[in-house]
Amino acid sequence: MERSVILVKPDGVQRGVIGEIIHRFERKGLQLVGLKMLSLDDALLDEWYAHHKDKPFFAKLKAYMKSYPVVAMLWEGAQVVATIRKMVGITLAREAEAGTIRGDFAMSQQYNLVHASENTEIAKREEQLMFTPSEIFPWKKTDFPHVYLDEEIK
Ligand code: CMP
């Protein structure tokens, strides 16, 4: 099974949508295997956003991500990285599809509520950066036979 890292960004914490975001992923049938609140620092953000380091908005992005705590989550499911990206919507929130998290609750290019792992390789790197092994709980979710066919989760 795949895993994806979600951050509820500082604006999502301020806007009070932590519960809404968890609720959406839970209702979808995804499994929460890690959850914590933390403040991000320069060292972590430089690694996290290394691919954005030459972008004109990098300094602003870092200042924003340090402004208030974030909530980090690790979600598990079949092809969960792509599923979550679809549920989150595009970066420019005011143009994101209605029904997505950004489409329903945000308007900005920067203040877009959530970070979602971009692909499976990045998801693995982000899981290691964000969670220690003792912060990950691979519990048995007993409703999976009602969520997936056997062959979908092999
Ligand atoms: P996300 O796509 O999750 O990851 C990169 C983040 O940088 C993005 O969300 C926004 O929060 C922020 N971002 C992207 N483009 C801009 C921009 N042009 N100006 C300010 N922030 C941006």
Side-chain angles (χ1 to χ4, degrees):
M1 287 268 241
E2 235 171 71
R3 287 177 179 163
S4 179
V5 177
I6 294 297
L7 302 180
V8 182
K9 295 177 176 182
D11 54 316
V13 173
Q14 284 286 0
R15 301 264 320 273
V17 293
I18 300 166
E20 171 72 33
I21 290 165
I22 292 175
H23 188 50
R24 286 184 176 219
F25 295 148
E26 280 188 321
R27 280 189 312 179
K28 178 72 171 163
L30 309 183
Q31 180 176 7
L32 185 61
V33 296
L35 176 68
K36 65 180 181 180
M37 179 175 265
L38 75 159
S39 293
L40 300 177
D41 60 19
D42 280 320
L44 184 56
L45 284 166
D46 284 341
E47 280 203 67
W48 196 263
Y49 285 128
H51 53 300
H52 288 313
K53 74 175 180 358
D54 298 322
K55 304 263 172 67
F57 58 82
F58 185 59
K60 220 192 280 184
L61 171 62
K62 272 178 64 179
Y64 149 57
M65 292 298 289
K66 287 191 297 182
S67 61
Y68 295 98
V70 301
V71 172
M73 306 171 192
L74 189 60
W75 288 93
E76 199 168 284
Q79 297 177 340
V80 73
V81 172
T83 300
I84 284 183
R85 295 283 294 183
K86 208 172 280 179
M87 293 175 74
V88 163
I90 62 168
T91 297
L92 179 53
R94 62 184 168 273
E95 290 183 5
E97 287 282 320
T100 64
I101 292 166
R102 289 168 172 167
D104 287 352
F105 301 113
M107 286 296 287
S108 169
Q109 185 153 29
Q110 176 169 274
Y111 301 117
N112 56 13
L113 304 175
V114 274
H115 165 89
S117 300
E118 206 169 315
N119 58 47
T120 52
E121 200 179 311
I122 291 176
K124 282 188 192 130
R125 191 169 64 86
E126 290 181 348
E127 177 180 328
Q128 286 168 0
L129 278 174
M130 192 53 68
F131 293 94
T132 63
S134 68
E135 291 173 331
I136 300 172
F137 300 84
W139 52 287
K140 182 172 169 58
K141 199 166 189 304
T142 56
D143 74 352
F144 269 8
H146 306 284
V147 176
Y148 296 107
L149 288 167
D150 280 350
E151 57 265 35
E152 288 175 311
I153 50 176
K154 286 254 158 70

